[in-house]
Coordinates of all heavy atoms in Angstrom, one line a residue:
M1 N -114.5 -36.8 187.3 CA -115.0 -36.0 188.4 C -116.4 -36.5 188.7 O -117.3 -36.6 187.9 CB -115.2 -34.5 188.0 CG -115.4 -33.6 189.1 SD -114.9 -31.8 188.8 CE -115.7 -31.4 187.3
P2 N -116.6 -37.0 190.0 CA -117.9 -37.6 190.3 C -119.1 -36.5 190.4 O -118.9 -35.4 190.9 CB -117.7 -38.2 191.7 CG -116.6 -37.5 192.3 CD -115.7 -37.0 191.1
Y3 N -120.2 -36.9 189.9 CA -121.4 -36.1 190.0 C -122.5 -36.8 190.7 O -122.5 -38.0 190.9 CB -121.9 -35.7 188.6 CG -120.9 -34.9 187.8 CD1 -120.1 -35.5 186.9 CD2 -120.7 -33.5 188.0 CE1 -119.1 -34.8 186.2 CE2 -119.8 -32.8 187.3 CZ -118.9 -33.5 186.4 OH -118.0 -32.7 185.7
F4 N -123.5 -36.1 191.2 CA -124.6 -36.7 191.9 C -125.6 -37.4 190.9 O -126.2 -38.4 191.3 CB -125.4 -35.6 192.7 CG -124.5 -34.9 193.7 CD1 -124.1 -33.6 193.6 CD2 -124.1 -35.6 194.9 CE1 -123.3 -33.0 194.5 CE2 -123.3 -35.0 195.8 CZ -122.9 -33.6 195.6
E5 N -125.7 -36.8 189.7 CA -126.5 -37.4 188.7 C -125.6 -37.9 187.6 O -124.4 -37.6 187.5 CB -127.5 -36.3 188.2 CG -128.4 -35.8 189.2 CD -129.5 -36.7 189.7 OE1 -129.8 -37.7 189.0 OE2 -130.0 -36.6 190.8
K6 N -126.2 -38.6 186.6 CA -125.4 -39.1 185.5 C -124.9 -38.0 184.7 O -125.7 -37.1 184.3 CB -126.3 -40.0 184.6 CG -126.6 -41.4 185.2 CD -127.4 -42.3 184.3 CE -127.6 -43.6 184.9 NZ -128.5 -44.5 184.0
E7 N -123.6 -38.0 184.4 CA -123.0 -36.9 183.7 C -123.6 -36.7 182.3 O -123.8 -35.5 181.9 CB -121.5 -37.2 183.6 CG -120.7 -36.0 183.0 CD -119.2 -36.2 182.9 OE1 -118.7 -37.2 183.6 OE2 -118.5 -35.4 182.3
E8 N -124.0 -37.7 181.7 CA -124.5 -37.6 180.3 C -125.9 -36.9 180.3 O -126.3 -36.4 179.3 CB -124.6 -39.0 179.6 CG -125.5 -40.0 180.3 CD -124.7 -40.9 181.2 OE1 -123.7 -40.5 181.7 OE2 -125.2 -42.0 181.4
N9 N -126.5 -36.8 181.5 CA -127.8 -36.1 181.6 C -127.7 -34.6 182.0 O -128.7 -33.9 182.1 CB -128.7 -36.8 182.6 CG -129.1 -38.2 182.1 OD1 -129.1 -38.5 181.0 ND2 -129.5 -39.0 183.1
L10 N -126.5 -34.2 182.2 CA -126.2 -32.8 182.7 C -125.8 -31.9 181.5 O -125.0 -32.3 180.6 CB -125.1 -32.8 183.8 CG -125.5 -33.6 185.0 CD1 -124.3 -33.7 186.0 CD2 -126.7 -33.0 185.7
D11 N -126.3 -30.7 181.6 CA -126.0 -29.7 180.6 C -124.5 -29.3 180.7 O -124.0 -29.2 181.8 CB -126.8 -28.5 180.9 CG -126.7 -27.4 179.8 OD1 -125.7 -26.6 179.8 OD2 -127.6 -27.4 178.9
P12 N -123.8 -29.1 179.6 CA -122.4 -28.7 179.6 C -122.2 -27.5 180.5 O -121.1 -27.3 181.1 CB -122.1 -28.5 178.2 CG -123.0 -29.3 177.4 CD -124.3 -29.3 178.2
K13 N -123.1 -26.5 180.5 CA -123.0 -25.3 181.3 C -123.0 -25.7 182.8 O -122.2 -25.1 183.5 CB -124.1 -24.3 180.9 CG -123.9 -23.0 181.6 CD -122.7 -22.2 181.0 CE -122.5 -20.9 181.7 NZ -121.4 -20.2 181.1
T14 N -123.9 -26.6 183.1 CA -123.9 -27.0 184.5 C -122.6 -27.6 184.9 O -122.1 -27.4 186.0 CB -125.0 -28.1 184.7 OG1 -126.3 -27.5 184.4 CG2 -125.0 -28.7 186.1
L15 N -122.0 -28.4 184.0 CA -120.7 -29.0 184.3 C -119.6 -28.0 184.5 O -118.8 -28.1 185.4 CB -120.3 -30.0 183.2 CG -121.3 -31.2 183.1 CD1 -120.8 -32.1 181.9 CD2 -121.4 -32.0 184.3
D16 N -119.6 -27.0 183.7 CA -118.6 -25.9 183.9 C -118.8 -25.1 185.2 O -117.9 -24.8 185.9 CB -118.6 -25.0 182.7 CG -117.7 -25.4 181.6 OD1 -116.9 -26.4 181.8 OD2 -117.7 -24.8 180.5
L17 N -120.1 -24.9 185.5 CA -120.4 -24.2 186.8 C -119.9 -25.0 187.9 O -119.3 -24.5 188.9 CB -121.9 -23.9 186.9 CG -122.4 -22.7 186.0 CD1 -123.9 -22.8 185.9 CD2 -121.9 -21.4 186.5
E18 N -120.1 -26.3 187.9 CA -119.7 -27.2 188.9 C -118.1 -27.2 189.0 O -117.5 -27.3 190.1 CB -120.3 -28.6 188.8 CG -120.0 -29.4 190.1 CD -120.9 -30.6 190.1 OE1 -122.1 -30.6 189.6 OE2 -120.5 -31.6 190.7
R19 N -117.5 -27.2 187.8 CA -116.0 -27.2 187.8 C -115.5 -25.9 188.5 O -114.5 -26.0 189.3 CB -115.5 -27.3 186.4 CG -115.7 -28.6 185.8 CD -115.1 -28.6 184.3 NE -115.3 -29.9 183.7 CZ -116.3 -30.2 182.8 NH1 -117.1 -29.2 182.3 NH2 -116.4 -31.4 182.3
A20 N -116.2 -24.8 188.3 CA -115.8 -23.6 188.9 C -116.0 -23.6 190.4 O -115.1 -23.2 191.2 CB -116.5 -22.4 188.3
S21 N -117.2 -24.1 190.8 CA -117.4 -24.1 192.3 C -116.5 -25.1 193.0 O -116.1 -24.8 194.1 CB -118.9 -24.4 192.5 OG -119.3 -25.7 192.2
K22 N -116.2 -26.2 192.4 CA -115.3 -27.1 193.1 C -113.9 -26.5 193.1 O -113.2 -26.6 194.1 CB -115.2 -28.5 192.3 CG -116.4 -29.3 192.5 CD -116.3 -30.7 191.8 CE -117.5 -31.5 192.1 NZ -117.6 -32.7 191.3
S23 N -113.5 -25.8 192.1 CA -112.2 -25.2 192.1 C -112.1 -24.1 193.1 O -111.1 -23.9 193.8 CB -111.9 -24.6 190.7 OG -111.8 -25.6 189.7
L24 N -113.2 -23.4 193.3 CA -113.3 -22.3 194.3 C -113.1 -22.9 195.7 O -112.4 -22.4 196.5 CB -114.6 -21.5 194.2 CG -114.8 -20.5 195.3 CD1 -113.7 -19.4 195.3 CD2 -116.2 -19.8 195.0
R25 N -113.8 -24.0 196.0 CA -113.7 -24.7 197.3 C -112.2 -25.1 197.5 O -111.7 -25.0 198.6 CB -114.6 -25.9 197.4 CG -116.1 -25.5 197.5 CD -116.9 -26.7 197.9 NE -117.1 -27.7 196.9 CZ -117.9 -27.7 195.9 NH1 -118.7 -26.7 195.8 NH2 -118.0 -28.7 195.1
E26 N -111.6 -25.6 196.4 CA -110.2 -26.0 196.6 C -109.2 -24.9 196.9 O -108.3 -25.0 197.6 CB -109.7 -26.8 195.3 CG -110.4 -28.1 195.2 CD -110.4 -28.7 193.8 OE1 -109.7 -28.1 192.9 OE2 -110.9 -29.8 193.6
E27 N -109.5 -23.7 196.2 CA -108.7 -22.5 196.5 C -108.9 -22.1 197.9 O -107.9 -21.7 198.6 CB -109.1 -21.4 195.5 CG -108.9 -21.7 194.0 CD -107.4 -21.9 193.6 OE1 -106.5 -21.7 194.4 OE2 -107.3 -22.3 192.5
L28 N -110.1 -22.1 198.4 CA -110.4 -21.6 199.8 C -109.7 -22.6 200.8 O -109.1 -22.1 201.8 CB -111.9 -21.5 200.0 CG -112.6 -20.5 199.3 CD1 -114.1 -20.6 199.4 CD2 -112.2 -19.1 199.6
E29 N -109.7 -23.9 200.5 CA -109.1 -24.8 201.3 C -107.6 -24.6 201.3 O -106.9 -24.7 202.4 CB -109.4 -26.2 200.8 CG -108.9 -27.3 201.8 CD -109.4 -28.7 201.3 OE1 -109.1 -29.1 200.1 OE2 -110.1 -29.4 202.0
A30 N -107.0 -24.3 200.2 CA -105.6 -24.0 200.1 C -105.2 -22.8 200.9 O -104.1 -22.8 201.6 CB -105.2 -23.8 198.6
I31 N -106.0 -21.8 200.9 CA -105.8 -20.6 201.7 C -105.7 -21.0 203.2 O -104.8 -20.5 203.9 CB -106.9 -19.5 201.5 CG1 -106.8 -19.0 200.1 CG2 -106.8 -18.4 202.6 CD1 -108.0 -18.2 199.6
D32 N -106.6 -21.8 203.7 CA -106.6 -22.3 205.1 C -105.3 -23.1 205.4 O -104.7 -22.9 206.4 CB -107.8 -23.2 205.4 CG -109.1 -22.4 205.3 OD1 -109.1 -21.1 205.4 OD2 -110.2 -23.0 205.3
Y33 N -104.9 -24.0 204.4 CA -103.7 -24.7 204.7 C -102.5 -23.8 204.8 O -101.7 -24.0 205.7 CB -103.4 -25.7 203.5 CG -104.3 -26.9 203.4 CD1 -104.6 -27.5 202.1 CD2 -104.9 -27.5 204.5 CE1 -105.4 -28.6 202.0 CE2 -105.7 -28.6 204.4 CZ -106.0 -29.1 203.1 OH -106.8 -30.2 203.0
Y34 N -102.4 -22.9 203.9 CA -101.2 -21.9 203.9 C -101.2 -21.1 205.2 O -100.2 -20.9 205.8 CB -101.2 -21.0 202.7 CG -100.6 -21.6 201.5 CD1 -101.3 -21.8 200.3 CD2 -99.3 -22.0 201.5 CE1 -100.7 -22.4 199.2 CE2 -98.7 -22.6 200.4 CZ -99.4 -22.7 199.2 OH -98.8 -23.3 198.1
Q35 N -102.4 -20.7 205.6 CA -102.5 -19.8 206.8 C -102.0 -20.6 208.1 O -101.2 -20.1 208.9 CB -103.9 -19.3 207.1 CG -104.0 -18.3 208.2 CD -103.1 -17.1 208.0 OE1 -103.1 -16.6 206.9 NE2 -102.5 -16.6 209.1
E36 N -102.4 -21.9 208.2 CA -102.0 -22.7 209.3 C -100.5 -22.9 209.2 O -99.8 -22.9 210.3 CB -102.7 -24.0 209.3 CG -104.2 -23.9 209.7 CD -104.9 -25.2 209.8 OE1 -104.2 -26.2 210.0 OE2 -106.2 -25.2 209.7
R37 N -100.0 -23.2 208.0 CA -98.5 -23.4 207.9 C -97.7 -22.2 208.2 O -96.6 -22.3 208.8 CB -98.2 -23.9 206.5 CG -98.7 -25.3 206.3 CD -98.6 -25.8 204.9 NE -99.3 -27.1 204.7 CZ -99.7 -27.6 203.6 NH1 -99.4 -27.0 202.5 NH2 -100.3 -28.7 203.5
I38 N -98.2 -21.0 207.8 CA -97.5 -19.8 208.1 C -97.4 -19.6 209.7 O -96.3 -19.2 210.2 CB -98.3 -18.6 207.5 CG1 -98.2 -18.6 206.0 CG2 -97.8 -17.2 208.1 CD1 -99.2 -17.7 205.3
E39 N -98.5 -19.9 210.3 CA -98.5 -19.7 211.8 C -97.6 -20.7 212.5 O -97.2 -20.4 213.6 CB -99.9 -19.7 212.3 CG -100.7 -18.5 211.8 CD -102.2 -18.5 212.3 OE1 -102.5 -19.2 213.3 OE2 -103.0 -17.7 211.7
N40 N -97.3 -21.8 211.9 CA -96.5 -22.8 212.5 C -95.1 -22.9 212.1 O -94.2 -23.4 212.8 CB -97.2 -24.2 212.3 CG -98.3 -24.4 213.3 OD1 -98.0 -24.8 214.5 ND2 -99.5 -24.2 212.9
A41 N -94.8 -22.3 210.9 CA -93.4 -22.3 210.4 C -92.5 -21.5 211.4 O -92.9 -20.5 211.9 CB -93.4 -21.8 209.0
K42 N -91.3 -22.0 211.5 CA -90.3 -21.3 212.4 C -89.4 -20.3 211.6 O -89.0 -19.3 212.2 CB -89.5 -22.3 213.2 CG -90.2 -23.3 213.9 CD -91.2 -22.7 215.0 CE -91.9 -23.8 215.7 NZ -93.3 -23.5 215.8
D43 N -89.2 -20.6 210.4 CA -88.3 -19.9 209.5 C -89.0 -18.7 208.9 O -90.0 -18.8 208.3 CB -87.7 -20.8 208.4 CG -86.7 -20.0 207.6 OD1 -87.1 -19.4 206.6 OD2 -85.5 -20.1 207.9
E44 N -88.5 -17.5 209.1 CA -89.1 -16.3 208.6 C -89.2 -16.2 207.1 O -90.1 -15.8 206.5 CB -88.4 -15.0 209.1 CG -88.7 -14.7 210.6 CD -90.2 -14.6 210.9 OE1 -90.9 -13.9 210.1 OE2 -90.7 -15.2 211.9
G45 N -88.1 -16.8 206.4 CA -88.1 -16.8 205.0 C -89.2 -17.7 204.4 O -89.9 -17.4 203.4
L46 N -89.4 -18.8 205.1 CA -90.4 -19.8 204.7 C -91.8 -19.1 204.9 O -92.7 -19.2 204.0 CB -90.3 -21.1 205.4 CG -91.4 -22.1 205.1 CD1 -91.4 -22.5 203.7 CD2 -91.2 -23.3 206.0
K47 N -91.9 -18.4 206.0 CA -93.2 -17.8 206.3 C -93.6 -16.8 205.2 O -94.7 -16.7 204.8 CB -93.2 -17.0 207.6 CG -93.3 -17.8 208.9 CD -93.2 -16.9 210.1 CE -93.3 -17.7 211.4 NZ -94.6 -17.9 211.8
K48 N -92.6 -16.1 204.7 CA -92.8 -15.1 203.6 C -93.3 -15.8 202.3 O -94.2 -15.3 201.6 CB -91.6 -14.2 203.4 CG -91.4 -13.2 204.5 CD -90.2 -12.3 204.2 CE -90.0 -11.3 205.3 NZ -88.8 -10.5 205.2
I49 N -92.6 -16.9 202.0 CA -93.0 -17.6 200.8 C -94.4 -18.2 200.9 O -95.2 -18.0 200.0 CB -92.0 -18.8 200.5 CG1 -90.6 -18.2 200.1 CG2 -92.5 -19.8 199.5 CD1 -89.5 -19.3 200.2
L50 N -94.7 -18.7 202.1 CA -96.0 -19.3 202.3 C -97.1 -18.2 202.2 O -98.2 -18.4 201.7 CB -96.1 -20.0 203.6 CG -95.2 -21.3 203.7 CD1 -95.2 -21.8 205.1 CD2 -95.6 -22.4 202.7
A51 N -96.8 -17.0 202.8 CA -97.8 -15.9 202.7 C -98.0 -15.4 201.3 O -99.1 -15.1 200.9 CB -97.3 -14.8 203.6
H52 N -96.9 -15.4 200.5 CA -97.0 -15.0 199.1 C -97.9 -16.0 198.4 O -98.9 -15.7 197.6 CB -95.6 -15.0 198.5 CG -95.7 -14.9 197.0 ND1 -95.7 -13.7 196.3 CD2 -95.7 -15.8 196.0 CE1 -95.8 -13.9 195.0 NE2 -95.7 -15.2 194.8
N53 N -97.7 -17.3 198.6 CA -98.5 -18.4 198.0 C -100.0 -18.3 198.4 O -100.9 -18.4 197.6 CB -97.9 -19.7 198.3 CG -96.6 -20.0 197.6 OD1 -96.1 -19.1 196.9 ND2 -96.0 -21.1 197.9
R54 N -100.2 -18.0 199.7 CA -101.6 -17.9 200.2 C -102.3 -16.8 199.5 O -103.4 -16.9 199.1 CB -101.5 -17.6 201.7 CG -102.9 -17.3 202.3 CD -102.8 -16.5 203.6 NE -102.1 -15.3 203.3 CZ -101.4 -14.5 204.3 NH1 -101.4 -14.9 205.5 NH2 -100.8 -13.4 203.9
D55 N -101.6 -15.7 199.3 CA -102.2 -14.5 198.7 C -102.5 -14.8 197.2 O -103.5 -14.3 196.6 CB -101.4 -13.3 198.9 CG -101.4 -12.8 200.3 OD1 -102.2 -13.3 201.1 OD2 -100.6 -12.0 200.7
E56 N -101.7 -15.6 196.6 CA -101.9 -16.0 195.2 C -103.2 -16.8 195.1 O -104.0 -16.7 194.2 CB -100.8 -16.7 194.6 CG -99.6 -15.8 194.2 CD -98.6 -16.5 193.3 OE1 -98.6 -17.7 193.2 OE2 -97.8 -15.7 192.7
E57 N -103.4 -17.7 196.1 CA -104.6 -18.5 196.2 C -105.8 -17.6 196.3 O -106.9 -17.9 195.8 CB -104.6 -19.5 197.3 CG -103.4 -20.5 197.3 CD -103.3 -21.4 196.0 OE1 -104.2 -21.3 195.2 OE2 -102.3 -22.1 195.9
K58 N -105.7 -16.5 197.1 CA -106.8 -15.6 197.2 C -107.1 -15.0 195.8 O -108.3 -14.7 195.5 CB -106.5 -14.5 198.2 CG -106.4 -15.0 199.7 CD -106.1 -13.9 200.7 CE -106.1 -14.5 202.1 NZ -105.8 -13.5 203.1
E59 N -106.1 -14.7 195.1 CA -106.3 -14.1 193.7 C -107.1 -15.2 192.9 O -108.0 -14.9 192.1 CB -105.0 -13.7 193.0 CG -105.3 -13.2 191.7 CD -104.0 -12.8 191.0 OE1 -102.9 -13.1 191.4 OE2 -104.1 -12.1 189.9
H60 N -106.6 -16.4 193.0 CA -107.3 -17.5 192.2 C -108.8 -17.6 192.6 O -109.7 -17.8 191.8 CB -106.6 -18.8 192.4 CG -105.2 -18.9 192.0 ND1 -104.3 -19.9 192.4 CD2 -104.5 -18.0 191.2 CE1 -103.1 -19.6 191.9 NE2 -103.2 -18.5 191.2
A61 N -109.0 -17.5 193.9 CA -110.4 -17.6 194.4 C -111.2 -16.4 193.8 O -112.4 -16.6 193.4 CB -110.5 -17.6 195.9
A62 N -110.7 -15.2 193.9 CA -111.4 -14.0 193.3 C -111.7 -14.2 191.9 O -112.8 -13.8 191.4 CB -110.5 -12.8 193.6
M63 N -110.7 -14.8 191.1 CA -111.0 -15.0 189.7 C -112.1 -15.9 189.4 O -113.0 -15.7 188.5 CB -109.7 -15.5 189.0 CG -108.5 -14.6 189.0 SD -107.0 -15.3 188.6 CE -107.2 -15.7 186.9
L64 N -112.2 -17.0 190.3 CA -113.3 -17.9 190.1 C -114.7 -17.3 190.5 O -115.7 -17.5 189.9 CB -113.0 -19.2 190.9 CG -111.9 -20.1 190.3 CD1 -111.4 -21.0 191.4 CD2 -112.5 -20.8 189.1
V65 N -114.7 -16.5 191.6 CA -115.9 -15.8 192.0 C -116.4 -14.9 190.8 O -117.6 -14.9 190.5 CB -115.7 -15.0 193.2 CG1 -116.9 -14.0 193.5 CG2 -115.5 -15.9 194.4
E66 N -115.4 -14.2 190.2 CA -115.8 -13.3 189.1 C -116.4 -14.1 187.9 O -117.3 -13.7 187.3 CB -114.6 -12.5 188.6 CG -114.3 -11.3 189.6 CD -115.5 -10.4 189.7 OE1 -116.1 -10.0 188.7 OE2 -115.9 -10.2 190.9
W67 N -115.8 -15.3 187.7 CA -116.3 -16.1 186.6 C -117.7 -16.6 186.9 O -118.6 -16.6 186.0 CB -115.4 -17.3 186.3 CG -115.7 -18.1 185.1 CD1 -115.3 -17.9 183.9 CD2 -116.7 -19.2 185.1 NE1 -115.9 -18.8 183.0 CE2 -116.8 -19.6 183.7 CE3 -117.5 -19.8 186.0 CZ2 -117.7 -20.6 183.3 CZ3 -118.4 -20.8 185.6 CH2 -118.4 -21.2 184.3
L68 N -117.9 -17.0 188.2 CA -119.2 -17.4 188.6 C -120.3 -16.3 188.4 O -121.4 -16.5 188.0 CB -119.2 -18.0 190.0 CG -118.6 -19.3 190.2 CD1 -118.3 -19.6 191.6 CD2 -119.5 -20.4 189.6
R69 N -119.8 -15.1 188.8 CA -120.8 -13.9 188.6 C -121.1 -13.7 187.2 O -122.3 -13.4 186.9 CB -120.1 -12.7 189.2 CG -120.0 -12.7 190.7 CD -119.5 -11.4 191.2 NE -120.6 -10.3 191.1 CZ -120.5 -9.1 191.6 NH1 -119.5 -8.8 192.3 NH2 -121.5 -8.3 191.5
K70 N -120.2 -13.9 186.3 CA -120.4 -13.6 184.9 C -121.3 -14.8 184.2 O -121.9 -14.5 183.2 CB -119.1 -13.5 184.1 CG -118.4 -12.2 184.4 CD -117.1 -12.1 183.6 CE -116.4 -10.8 184.0 NZ -114.9 -11.0 184.0
N71 N -121.2 -15.9 184.8 CA -121.9 -17.1 184.2 C -123.1 -17.6 184.9 O -123.7 -18.5 184.5 CB -120.9 -18.2 184.0 CG -119.9 -17.8 183.0 OD1 -120.1 -18.0 181.8 ND2 -118.7 -17.3 183.4
D72 N -123.4 -17.0 186.1 CA -124.6 -17.3 186.9 C -125.3 -16.1 187.3 O -124.9 -15.4 188.2 CB -124.2 -18.2 188.1 CG -125.4 -18.6 188.9 OD1 -126.4 -17.9 188.9 OD2 -125.3 -19.7 189.6
P73 N -126.4 -15.7 186.6 CA -127.1 -14.4 186.8 C -127.6 -14.3 188.3 O -127.6 -13.2 188.8 CB -128.2 -14.4 185.8 CG -127.9 -15.4 184.8 CD -127.0 -16.4 185.4
V74 N -128.0 -15.3 188.9 CA -128.5 -15.3 190.3 C -127.4 -15.0 191.2 O -127.5 -14.1 192.1 CB -129.3 -16.6 190.7 CG1 -129.7 -16.5 192.1 CG2 -130.5 -16.8 189.8
F75 N -126.3 -15.7 191.0 CA -125.1 -15.4 191.8 C -124.7 -13.9 191.7 O -124.4 -13.3 192.7 CB -123.9 -16.3 191.3 CG -123.2 -17.0 192.4 CD1 -122.5 -18.2 192.0 CD2 -123.1 -16.6 193.7 CE1 -121.8 -18.9 193.0 CE2 -122.4 -17.3 194.6 CZ -121.8 -18.5 194.3
D76 N -124.7 -13.4 190.5 CA -124.3 -12.0 190.3 C -125.2 -11.1 191.0 O -124.8 -10.2 191.7 CB -124.3 -11.7 188.8 CG -123.8 -10.3 188.5 OD1 -122.7 -10.0 189.0 OD2 -124.4 -9.6 187.7
Q77 N -126.5 -11.4 190.9 CA -127.5 -10.5 191.6 C -127.3 -10.6 193.1 O -127.4 -9.5 193.8 CB -128.9 -11.0 191.3 CG -130.0 -10.1 191.9 CD -129.9 -8.6 191.5 OE1 -129.6 -8.3 190.3 NE2 -130.1 -7.7 192.4
K78 N -127.0 -11.7 193.7 CA -126.8 -11.9 195.1 C -125.6 -11.1 195.6 O -125.6 -10.5 196.7 CB -126.7 -13.4 195.5 CG -128.0 -14.1 195.3 CD -129.2 -13.6 196.0 CE -130.4 -14.3 195.7 NZ -131.6 -13.7 196.3
F79 N -124.5 -11.1 194.8 CA -123.3 -10.4 195.1 C -123.7 -8.9 195.1 O -123.2 -8.1 196.0 CB -122.2 -10.7 194.2 CG -121.4 -11.9 194.6 CD1 -121.5 -13.1 194.0 CD2 -120.5 -11.7 195.7 CE1 -120.7 -14.2 194.4 CE2 -119.7 -12.8 196.1 CZ -119.8 -14.0 195.5
K80 N -124.4 -8.4 194.1 CA -124.8 -7.0 194.1 C -125.6 -6.6 195.3 O -125.4 -5.6 195.9 CB -125.6 -6.7 192.8 CG -124.7 -6.7 191.6 CD -125.5 -6.5 190.3 CE -124.6 -6.5 189.1 NZ -125.3 -6.8 187.9
E81 N -126.5 -7.5 195.7 CA -127.4 -7.2 196.9 C -126.6 -7.1 198.2 O -127.0 -6.4 199.1 CB -128.4 -8.3 197.1 CG -129.5 -8.3 196.0 CD -130.4 -9.5 196.1 OE1 -130.4 -10.2 197.2 OE2 -131.1 -9.8 195.2
H82 N -125.4 -7.8 198.3 CA -124.7 -7.8 199.5 C -123.3 -7.0 199.4 O -122.5 -7.2 200.2 CB -124.4 -9.3 199.9 CG -125.7 -10.0 200.3 ND1 -126.2 -9.8 201.6 CD2 -126.5 -10.7 199.6 CE1 -127.3 -10.5 201.6 NE2 -127.5 -11.1 200.4
D83 N -123.2 -6.2 198.3 CA -122.0 -5.4 198.2 C -122.0 -4.3 199.1 O -123.0 -3.6 199.4 CB -121.9 -4.9 196.7 CG -120.6 -4.3 196.4 OD1 -119.6 -4.6 197.1 OD2 -120.5 -3.4 195.6
Ligands
LIG1 FE1 -104.7 -21.8 193.3

């Protein structure tokens, strides 16, 4: 996984936080892909499968947000401020 700085100079916690944020971006991107495919698919059965998968990606994204909240106090505070 490429980093902006030398990996050996980074704290292990920083690396895990970055793994979580990159994973969150990938989950959000997957939601967008599924949504576009749902809107373009012609078969209703396929649309249902894709919608199910899209919603699972939303669950994955929520799990990562919760992990970030638990492991980054500033993130947690900002979510509380905007709840
Ligand atoms: Fe996922």
